[in-house]
Structure formats: structure tokens, C-alpha cells
Amino acid sequence: MNHEKSASGAEPIVRLNKLNKHFGSLHVLQDIDLTVTPGEVVVIIGASGSGKSTLIRCVNGLEEFQQGELEVDSNPLLPNGKATQALQKIRTEVGMVFQQFNLFPHLSVLDNVILAPMKVRGLNRSTATETGERLLARVGISDQAHKYPAQLSGGQQQRVALARALAMEPRLMLFDEPTSALDPEMIGEVLDAMRELANDGMTMMIVTHEMGFAREVADRVIFIDKGRIVEEGPPETIFDTPTEAPTQSFLSRVLKH
């Protein structure tokens, strides 16, 4: 794999080289070439079923790929889910926030946040609690620490999920349509927390249908259509002057008022 450094001089934290993914006879990802550098916010857009979520699920090994190369923080993932010591390392360094919150209903908000750092990183409860309380404050729900998930709104639960991912001190955060399961009035509070994270310099790969948010926070927008990267560039280029017909067609539909 080509190990040239990016124009900024930073070694990319994510590298995909000619990545291909199949679900049976369906060719879901086709020859994906992509690098993400530290501190970069990459937003992936496209129609439902275009392969966006599959792409970021491949990045932390939740989905297997069949051909090509994939490295996260110089740790290679192998095709067809072949075991590699790198996988566990990648999963401790990569945080992920899903459409669904996946919180443990029998644990308090704080205990949901501190469980993984204690189990995986070996933190003692007092250190983990201090970190957990700081992160809950960071996402604006410190007053909910001792409640249970069922007592929270969807937006609050998603912010707990974000704090839980941050508690592992990830080098990379993946977001798979984190607001798509939320009521409209709750979307803004989750996007605000993500916006703050981007402003703090977190490396992020975000799949979203929130185009205004994408325009605002992305360093680079990737448009995927039928499993291929059709177009990529700065948000102002992609949204204002897209050059490829599939991009133009997609944006004309989703940007209609």
C-alpha cells in the first residue's frame, strides 16, 4: 500500500485501497480508494442503499470486505474477516455512534459511559467516573448521570452514546446516521455535540442525511452512488458546483425546500 504522507505531512489515520465488499451477488462497495488524515472531518453522503454505512462499518471491522486493503492507524484489517491482532486494537481506538443508541437499559447513564474504560482499558472506578462525568458535561447532560436510559429522550440517549464512545479516548470517531432515529426537535442537540467535537479537532467519518450540517462541519464531502465514490471535495464545491450527474441529481432531490 502506498505510504506517502498527505499534503499536510500527517500520516493518514485511515487508508482504503481498491476496497471491494460483496453481500452474496450484490457488489456493495466497488474499488473504494480513500484516506482520512488526523483532525479531518469527512462526511459521506448518498442515497439509501448506496453503501455509505457499509463503508464505515468496514473501517472498524463490523463488516468484512473481500478484496483490497484497509488500514486504521497503520493497523491492517484483512479481507474476509481473517483474524488479526490489529482488529482488537482498532476497536479500542475507534469510537462508533450508530442510528440506535444501544445503551444498557439496566445501567445508569454514568455506568453506561464508564463500563468499557473499566473493562477494556482497566481504569479504576474513581478515575473512570471522573472521566465519565467530564464527558457527560461535555455533551450537555451531566444532570442525567444517575438516570436510566428509559428516562431520557432520544436526543439525550444519543448524547450518552457519544459520551460512551469518547470515554475510550478514540483516535477516530465513526457516525452512522446518528440522527436518523430521532424526532426532528431532538436532532439539533446531537448535531451540536458533534459540531463541538469537530471544532475540538477530533478525526471523524460521518454518514448523514443532514446536508446543512455536512456543509458546515466537513473538511471534505464524499458522494457515493451504487457502491462507488463518484465525487469528493470541499463542501462548497460538492454542494454548489457538483460536476458529476449522479451528484447533481441526488442533491437536486435532497436540497429541495
Side-chain angles (χ1 to χ4, degrees):
M1 192 178 285
N2 182 358
H3 277 270
E4 287 181 11
K5 293 192 175 182
S6 68
S8 67
E11 185 74 22
I13 193 167
V14 178
R15 301 173 181 274
L16 290 79
N17 182 40
K18 296 289 181 281
L19 188 102
N20 285 268
K21 161 74 180 172
H22 302 264
F23 286 121
S25 61
L26 192 62
H27 199 169
V28 187
L29 297 174
Q30 303 182 42
D31 289 335
I32 300 290
D33 292 328
L34 179 64
T35 59
V36 180
T37 54
E40 189 176 22
V41 177
V42 173
V43 175
I44 303 165
I45 63 171
S48 295
S50 59
K52 310 181 302 295
S53 294
T54 303
L55 172 58
I56 63 165
R57 288 171 68 87
C58 283
V59 171
N60 70 344
L62 287 174
E63 293 285 358
E64 299 174 6
F65 60 97
Q66 281 71 50
Q67 296 95 28
E69 298 174 290
L70 171 57
E71 287 183 1
V72 180
D73 208 12
S74 299
N75 296 297
L77 277 172
L78 300 179
N80 300 308
K82 288 179 182 168
T84 165
Q85 288 182 322
L87 180 58
Q88 193 56 45
K89 191 168 193 300
I90 287 169
R91 288 198 174 149
T92 61
E93 293 182 359
V94 178
M96 187 153 183
V97 177
F98 301 86
Q99 297 177 35
Q100 303 301 328
F101 322 124
N102 301 322
L103 300 175
F104 293 112
H106 63 290
L107 296 180
S108 71
V109 163
L110 181 60
D111 283 342
N112 264 280
V113 173
I114 69 176
L115 181 65
M118 290 171 61
K119 295 277 189 189
V120 179
R121 293 208 183 273
L123 294 187
N124 62 46
R125 174 168 281 276
S126 64
T127 302
T129 297
E130 188 177 319
T131 300
E133 289 173 343
R134 175 174 54 80
L135 290 171
L136 289 172
R138 184 176 180 182
V139 298
I141 49 171
S142 55
D143 56 334
Q144 310 295 325
H146 300 295
K147 291 185 179 178
Y148 289 86
Q151 298 174 280
L152 273 54
S153 70
Q156 289 172 327
Q157 289 186 61
Q158 191 62 296
R159 284 187 282 162
V160 175
L162 176 54
R164 178 182 59 183
L166 292 174
M168 289 295 287
E169 299 183 341
R171 286 178 43 75
L172 168 69
M173 283 289 296
L174 307 177
F175 295 86
D176 184 8
E177 300 188 22
T179 60
S180 65
L182 299 178
D183 293 333
E185 66 270 18
M186 296 175 188
I187 290 172
E189 63 193 60
V190 174
L191 295 181
D192 284 345
M194 292 171 63
R195 192 176 285 116
E196 196 169 304
L197 201 56
N199 290 338
D200 288 345
M202 174 63 76
T203 311
M204 301 163 76
M205 295 178 71
I206 305 169
V207 171
T208 185
H209 291 294
E210 300 292 333
M211 297 300 149
F213 175 73
R215 180 191 283 269
E216 181 186 346
V217 304
D219 295 304
R220 186 159 40 116
V221 174
I222 310 284
F223 173 69
I224 293 185
D225 185 54
K226 298 173 183 171
R228 292 184 180 275
I229 294 179
V230 172
E231 193 165 358
E232 62 179 291
E236 57 273 16
T237 301
I238 298 298
F239 288 113
D240 297 338
T241 55
T243 58
E244 301 297 325
T247 320
Q248 294 166 352
S249 175
F250 170 76
L251 289 173
S252 72
R253 293 195 308 273
V254 300
L255 296 179
K256 278 181 182 172
H257 296 292

